[in-house]
Coordinates of all heavy atoms in Angstrom, one line a residue:
S148 N 53.3 -51.4 24.3 CA 54.3 -50.9 23.2 C 53.7 -49.7 22.5 O 54.2 -49.2 21.5 CB 54.6 -52.1 22.3 OG 53.3 -52.4 21.7
D149 N 52.6 -49.1 23.0 CA 51.9 -48.0 22.3 C 52.7 -46.8 22.6 O 52.7 -46.3 23.9 CB 50.5 -47.8 22.8 CG 49.7 -46.9 22.0 OD1 50.1 -45.6 22.0 OD2 48.7 -47.2 21.4
A150 N 53.4 -46.2 21.6 CA 54.2 -44.9 21.9 C 53.3 -43.8 22.4 O 53.9 -43.0 23.1 CB 54.9 -44.6 20.5
F151 N 52.3 -43.6 21.8 CA 51.4 -42.3 22.2 C 51.1 -42.5 23.7 O 51.2 -41.5 24.4 CB 50.1 -42.3 21.4 CG 49.2 -41.1 21.7 CD1 49.5 -39.9 21.1 CD2 48.2 -41.2 22.6 CE1 48.7 -38.9 21.2 CE2 47.6 -40.0 22.9 CZ 47.8 -38.9 22.1
I152 N 50.7 -43.7 24.2 CA 50.4 -43.8 25.5 C 51.6 -43.7 26.4 O 51.6 -43.0 27.5 CB 49.7 -45.2 25.8 CG1 48.4 -45.3 25.2 CG2 49.7 -45.5 27.4 CD1 47.7 -46.6 25.2
A153 N 52.9 -44.2 26.0 CA 54.0 -44.1 26.8 C 54.4 -42.5 26.8 O 54.9 -42.1 27.9 CB 55.1 -44.9 26.0
E154 N 54.2 -41.8 25.8 CA 54.5 -40.4 25.9 C 53.6 -39.6 26.7 O 54.1 -38.8 27.5 CB 54.4 -39.8 24.4 CG 55.6 -40.3 23.5 CD 55.3 -39.8 22.0 OE1 54.6 -38.8 21.8 OE2 56.0 -40.4 21.2
R155 N 52.3 -40.0 26.9 CA 51.4 -39.2 27.8 C 51.8 -39.6 29.3 O 51.8 -38.7 30.1 CB 50.0 -39.8 27.5 CG 49.4 -39.4 26.2 CD 49.2 -38.0 25.9 NE 50.5 -37.4 25.6 CZ 51.3 -37.4 24.5 NH1 50.8 -38.2 23.5 NH2 52.3 -36.7 24.3
I156 N 52.2 -40.8 29.5 CA 52.8 -41.2 30.8 C 54.1 -40.4 31.1 O 54.3 -39.9 32.3 CB 52.9 -42.7 31.0 CG1 51.6 -43.4 30.8 CG2 53.5 -43.0 32.4 CD1 51.7 -44.9 30.9
A157 N 55.0 -40.3 30.2 CA 56.2 -39.7 30.3 C 55.9 -38.2 30.6 O 56.6 -37.5 31.5 CB 57.0 -39.8 29.0
D158 N 54.9 -37.5 29.8 CA 54.6 -36.1 30.3 C 54.1 -36.0 31.6 O 54.4 -35.1 32.4 CB 53.5 -35.7 29.3 CG 54.0 -35.5 27.9 OD1 55.2 -35.3 27.7 OD2 53.2 -35.5 26.9
E159 N 53.3 -37.0 32.0 CA 52.8 -37.0 33.4 C 53.9 -37.1 34.4 O 54.0 -36.4 35.5 CB 51.8 -38.1 33.7 CG 51.0 -38.1 35.0 CD 51.8 -38.8 36.1 OE1 52.6 -39.6 35.8 OE2 51.3 -38.6 37.3
R160 N 54.8 -37.9 34.2 CA 56.1 -38.1 35.1 C 56.8 -36.8 35.2 O 57.3 -36.4 36.2 CB 56.8 -39.4 34.7 CG 56.1 -40.7 34.9 CD 55.9 -41.0 36.3 NE 55.0 -42.1 36.5 CZ 55.0 -43.0 37.4 NH1 55.9 -42.9 38.3 NH2 54.2 -43.9 37.5
L161 N 57.0 -36.2 34.0 CA 57.9 -35.0 33.9 C 57.2 -33.9 34.7 O 57.9 -33.1 35.4 CB 58.0 -34.5 32.5 CG 59.2 -35.1 31.7 CD1 59.2 -34.5 30.3 CD2 60.5 -34.7 32.4
N162 N 55.9 -33.8 34.6 CA 55.1 -32.9 35.4 C 55.3 -33.1 36.9 O 55.6 -32.2 37.7 CB 53.6 -32.8 35.1 CG 53.2 -32.1 34.0 OD1 53.7 -30.9 33.7 ND2 52.5 -32.6 33.0
S163 N 55.2 -34.3 37.3 CA 55.5 -34.7 38.7 C 56.9 -34.3 39.2 O 57.2 -33.8 40.3 CB 55.2 -36.2 38.9 OG 55.5 -36.6 40.2
I164 N 58.0 -34.7 38.4 CA 59.2 -34.4 38.7 C 59.5 -32.9 38.8 O 60.2 -32.4 39.7 CB 60.2 -35.0 37.7 CG1 60.2 -36.6 37.7 CG2 61.7 -34.6 37.9 CD1 60.7 -37.3 36.6
W165 N 59.0 -32.2 37.8 CA 59.1 -30.8 37.8 C 58.5 -30.1 39.2 O 59.1 -29.2 39.7 CB 58.4 -30.1 36.7 CG 58.4 -28.6 36.8 CD1 59.3 -27.7 36.3 CD2 57.3 -27.8 37.4 NE1 58.9 -26.4 36.6 CE2 57.7 -26.5 37.2 CE3 56.1 -28.2 38.0 CZ2 57.0 -25.4 37.8 CZ3 55.3 -27.0 38.5 CH2 55.7 -25.8 38.4
F166 N 57.3 -30.6 39.6 CA 56.7 -30.0 40.7 C 57.6 -30.4 42.0 O 57.8 -29.5 42.8 CB 55.3 -30.7 41.0 CG 54.6 -30.2 42.1 CD1 53.9 -29.0 42.0 CD2 54.8 -30.9 43.4 CE1 53.2 -28.6 43.2 CE2 54.0 -30.4 44.5 CZ 53.3 -29.2 44.4
S167 N 58.1 -31.5 42.1 CA 59.0 -31.9 43.1 C 60.3 -31.0 43.2 O 60.7 -30.5 44.2 CB 59.3 -33.4 43.1 OG 58.4 -34.2 43.3
C168 N 60.9 -30.8 42.0 CA 62.1 -30.1 41.9 C 61.9 -28.5 42.0 O 62.9 -27.8 42.5 CB 62.9 -30.3 40.6 SG 63.5 -32.1 40.5
H169 N 60.8 -28.2 41.7 CA 60.3 -26.7 42.0 C 60.4 -26.3 43.4 O 60.6 -25.2 43.7 CB 59.0 -26.5 41.3 CG 58.6 -25.0 41.3 ND1 59.2 -24.1 40.5 CD2 57.7 -24.3 42.0 CE1 58.7 -23.0 40.7 NE2 57.6 -23.1 41.6
H170 N 60.3 -27.3 44.3 CA 60.2 -27.1 45.7 C 61.4 -27.6 46.4 O 61.5 -27.8 47.6 CB 59.0 -27.8 46.4 CG 57.7 -27.1 45.9 ND1 57.1 -27.6 44.8 CD2 57.0 -26.0 46.4 CE1 56.0 -26.8 44.6 NE2 55.9 -26.0 45.6
L171 N 62.6 -27.8 45.6 CA 63.9 -28.2 46.2 C 64.3 -26.8 47.1 O 64.2 -25.8 46.7 CB 64.9 -28.4 45.2 CG 64.7 -29.7 44.4 CD1 65.6 -29.8 43.3 CD2 64.7 -30.9 45.3
P172 N 65.0 -27.1 48.2 CA 65.5 -28.4 48.7 C 64.5 -29.0 49.7 O 64.8 -30.1 50.1 CB 66.8 -28.1 49.4 CG 66.6 -26.7 49.9 CD 65.8 -25.9 48.9
E173 N 63.4 -28.3 50.0 CA 62.5 -28.9 51.0 C 62.0 -30.2 50.7 O 61.9 -31.1 51.6 CB 61.4 -27.8 51.2 CG 61.7 -26.6 51.8 CD 62.1 -25.5 50.7 OE1 62.3 -25.9 49.6 OE2 62.4 -24.3 51.0
T174 N 61.7 -30.4 49.4 CA 61.1 -31.8 49.0 C 62.1 -32.9 49.4 O 61.6 -34.0 49.7 CB 60.8 -31.8 47.6 OG1 60.0 -30.6 47.2 CG2 60.2 -33.1 47.1
L175 N 63.4 -32.7 49.3 CA 64.4 -33.7 49.5 C 64.3 -34.2 50.9 O 64.7 -35.4 51.2 CB 65.7 -33.3 49.1 CG 66.0 -33.0 47.6 CD1 67.3 -32.5 47.4 CD2 65.7 -34.2 46.9
L176 N 64.0 -33.5 51.9 CA 63.9 -33.8 53.3 C 63.0 -35.1 53.5 O 63.3 -35.9 54.3 CB 63.3 -32.7 54.1 CG 64.3 -31.5 54.2 CD1 63.6 -30.4 55.0 CD2 65.7 -31.9 54.7
N177 N 62.0 -35.2 52.7 CA 60.9 -36.3 52.9 C 61.0 -37.3 51.7 O 60.5 -38.4 51.9 CB 59.5 -35.8 53.1 CG 59.5 -34.8 54.3 OD1 60.0 -35.2 55.3 ND2 58.9 -33.7 54.2

Side-chain angles (χ1 to χ4, degrees):
S148 61
D149 189 299
F151 185 87
I152 292 175
E154 288 174 18
R155 302 291 72 76
I156 298 174
D158 288 339
E159 189 269 343
R160 295 288 166 151
L161 271 178
N162 278 312
S163 176
I164 294 165
W165 172 87
F166 182 83
S167 297
C168 289
H169 186 68
H170 293 88
L171 291 174
E173 293 86 354
T174 307
L175 291 178
L176 296 174
N177 299 313

